[in-house]
Amino acid sequence: MIVKLLLDRKREGRELAPDEIYALVAAYTRGEVPDYQMAAFAMAVCCKGMTDAETLALTTAMRDSGDSLSWDDLPLPTADKHSTGGVGDKLSLVIQPLAAACGLGVPSLTGRGLGLTGGTADKMESIPGYVAGLSLADYRKVVAACGCSLTVQTGEIAPADKKLYALRDVTGTVPSIPLIVASILSKKLAEGAGTLVFDVKCGAGAFMKTRPEAAALAKALVAGAKGAGRKAVALVTAMDEPLGFTVGNALEVQEAIDVLKGESGQAARSPGDVVELSVELAARMVALAREMPLDEARALCRARLADGSAWTRFAEMVRLHGGDLAAFQKELDKVPPPRLVVAAANGFVAAIDAQKVAQAAFELGAGRAQATDAIDPAAGVRLLVAHGDKVSAGQPLAELYAPARPERLAVAARLAEEAISVSGDAPAARPLVLEVVE
Ligand code: URA
């Protein structure tokens, strides 16, 4: 293989053969193709795109750069949900145990967050003792025992993606649908679930800002997953406003626990959007994996949430990961009182800017700018109002928690004030699910 000739052809927009792409990725993973050539390849793909066949070849080549898990020994249909990431997105914490309680095996490798807020692994690690970094052998044992496990992805899964993503991140080559699809799908295919449900977030607080971009990614993910022999569906869902009332690691875990227990906990009320979207996404997993009509799957998910069996699965998963939920509750009780953000005028909550709320959470210590930065699990924002609520001047709108960096409260309060728009007119209701791609 002469890499320069492949680069020439890709630059001219010509199609590469699957075995050429496969050989390129394998050589890059072995360290035989330098970063500058792979960066040139990524840029050529960004500018010229890829055919479906090329995208599938890139996906399978990256999948095969590491281990692929098989769940044939698990006597259950398997499914997983992947979210492209949004503000306050704690849905995995509800969906994985809920789908497990509905009779699925849910192998779900997850990530730590780099950016404004933590990833699912960071959230789970705010539970004292919880070990997110299990070996693949221990991860398999947890899935076999309780149906689900929120474990951080190990280096054995799709190492080519890890290497290529780091390169794309610094060469302006992240925003390319074929590269994103290959990156997401290579990992999901290697994890081995038979059904994949994608939650493609769309809006100001999401990676995909516009409806056409989000729909294109959703279609490409579903086509790629089906092309690789999996059952798949994607939902394009709204991400202009945060999901639920909380943004921050321990706060989000607490909110997910409240949803699983069917309580509103410390919040004034239950986060209806988290419940609705969790049930919808879990029902899609159940319907596809168990070949059940969607309405029946929705009813089953609602029943398993209401009868406490999803909560039991979550508590068991946490115990098997070494986590201590009683200690988690004690830690929360020790957090100093929050700073309040109050309404400046009477009116209705017209919009809550997800990006600004995430920036406020970051200022408070809930995210990390570099992989080595520490996260403060207790830091974050709890909204006290939702879209469309009637509010009066002086009414508290949000609580800000920053036990480790109180000096950042003032700047976070400004961001939170800007994030919550109050207007004289009641706003229209917001749909959560914008599009379904099957
Ligand atoms: N998430 C991924 O895993 N990969 C991308 O390329 C973009 C988002």
Side-chain angles (χ1 to χ4, degrees):
M1 172 184 59
I2 300 173
V3 176
K4 184 186 168 305
L5 297 182
L6 297 188
L7 295 176
D8 284 342
R9 280 175 36 223
K10 198 66 241 170
R11 189 194 61 238
E12 287 161 8
R14 287 193 278 149
E15 187 175 12
L16 302 183
D19 57 350
E20 290 175 316
I21 293 174
Y22 212 91
L24 176 67
V25 171
Y28 178 60
T29 311
R30 290 195 299 270
E32 292 164 14
V33 172
D35 277 350
Y36 55 81
Q37 282 190 312
M38 207 58 188
F41 172 76
M43 186 57 87
V45 172
C46 267
C47 297
K48 297 291 179 180
M50 273 186 149
T51 62
D52 288 351
E54 286 180 305
T55 306
L56 188 59
L58 184 62
T59 305
T60 49
M62 296 215 298
R63 175 196 66 191
D64 295 345
S65 66
D67 287 353
S68 281
L69 306 182
S70 155
W71 297 94
D72 289 349
D73 53 347
L74 197 69
L76 299 170
T78 52
D80 190 16
K81 184 251 349 167
H82 176 82
S83 162
T84 56
V87 179
D89 187 354
K90 71 275 299 171
L91 297 188
S92 289
L93 280 61
V94 177
I95 289 173
Q96 319 305 52
L98 175 55
C102 293
L104 303 188
V106 191
S108 186
L109 291 168
T110 177
R112 293 206 169 80
L114 191 57
L116 296 178
T117 59
T120 297
D122 298 306
K123 290 171 197 173
M124 294 308 290
E125 284 174 340
S126 66
I127 301 172
Y130 190 96
V131 178
L134 295 185
S135 67
L136 284 181
D138 286 342
Y139 161 66
R140 296 183 73 88
K141 282 186 201 152
V142 176
V143 175
C146 71
C148 58
S149 167
L150 292 169
T151 295
V152 81
Q153 191 189 313
T154 69
E156 293 120 296
I157 301 290
D161 173 60
K162 191 166 183 213
K163 221 174 149 189
L164 182 57
Y165 191 83
L167 196 59
R168 287 167 58 210
D169 206 23
V170 293
T171 55
T173 52
V174 170
S176 149
I177 297 266
L179 294 179
I180 296 170
V181 167
S183 168
I184 293 175
L185 269 187
S186 59
K187 291 173 283 200
K188 287 289 136 189
L189 296 177
E191 287 168 25
T195 292
L196 293 172
V197 173
F198 300 100
D199 180 8
V200 179
K201 302 282 185 209
C202 171
F207 186 50
M208 292 285 142
K209 307 281 181 216
T210 68
R211 217 21 218 281
E213 280 173 337
L217 179 59
K219 285 189 183 105
L221 285 168
V222 169
K226 287 185 175 172
R230 310 298 162 95
K231 297 178 194 170
V233 63
L235 271 55
V236 177
T237 66
M239 186 28 75
D240 288 308
E241 303 201 357
L243 261 174
F245 291 110
T246 58
V247 181
N249 298 283
L251 289 169
E252 292 190 43
V253 172
Q254 186 191 28
E255 185 167 51
I257 289 175
D258 292 342
V259 167
L260 286 162
K261 285 180 156 179
E263 296 168 357
S264 52
Q266 287 187 7
R269 61 186 201 248
S270 163
D273 54 352
V274 174
V275 177
E276 194 189 319
L277 201 48
S278 297
V279 166
E280 187 59 26
L281 289 162
R284 299 275 173 176
M285 292 162 75
V286 173
L288 278 183
R290 291 187 52 183
E291 297 178 2
M292 186 187 267
L294 184 56
D295 279 346
E296 262 178 51
R298 287 190 182 117
L300 180 65
C301 288
R302 287 194 193 285
R304 292 294 168 265
L305 205 50
D307 69 12
S309 41
W311 159 243
T312 306
R313 294 285 176 146
F314 179 84
E316 181 60 0
M317 174 186 72
V318 170
R319 192 186 69 74
L320 292 168
H321 275 261
D324 181 342
L325 287 169
F328 175 69
Q329 203 50 55
K330 277 198 200 126
E331 294 284 318
L332 286 180
D333 295 342
K334 280 198 298 203
V335 173
R339 173 168 175 152
L340 294 179
V341 171
V342 300
N346 296 340
F348 295 89
V349 176
I352 303 177
D353 183 324
Q355 193 62 15
K356 285 228 165 94
V357 174
Q359 281 166 6
F362 180 76
E363 289 296 337
L364 298 169
R368 56 165 79 81
Q370 295 177 36
T372 46
D373 291 351
I375 275 183
D376 177 3
V381 179
R382 174 185 280 121
L383 298 164
L384 301 171
V385 291
H387 183 95
D389 282 359
K390 194 165 184 199
V391 295
S392 20
Q395 178 180 332
L397 301 178
E399 297 172 344
L400 308 183
Y401 294 86
R405 48 207 294 192
E407 74 284 358
R408 305 303 296 167
L409 280 164
V411 75
R414 250 196 323 277
L415 284 161
E417 278 159 15
E418 285 169 20
I420 307 172
S421 313
V422 173
S423 98
D425 302 317
R430 273 176 333 130
L432 260 183
V433 177
L434 306 175
E435 199 167 329
V436 177
V437 177
E438 289 177 297

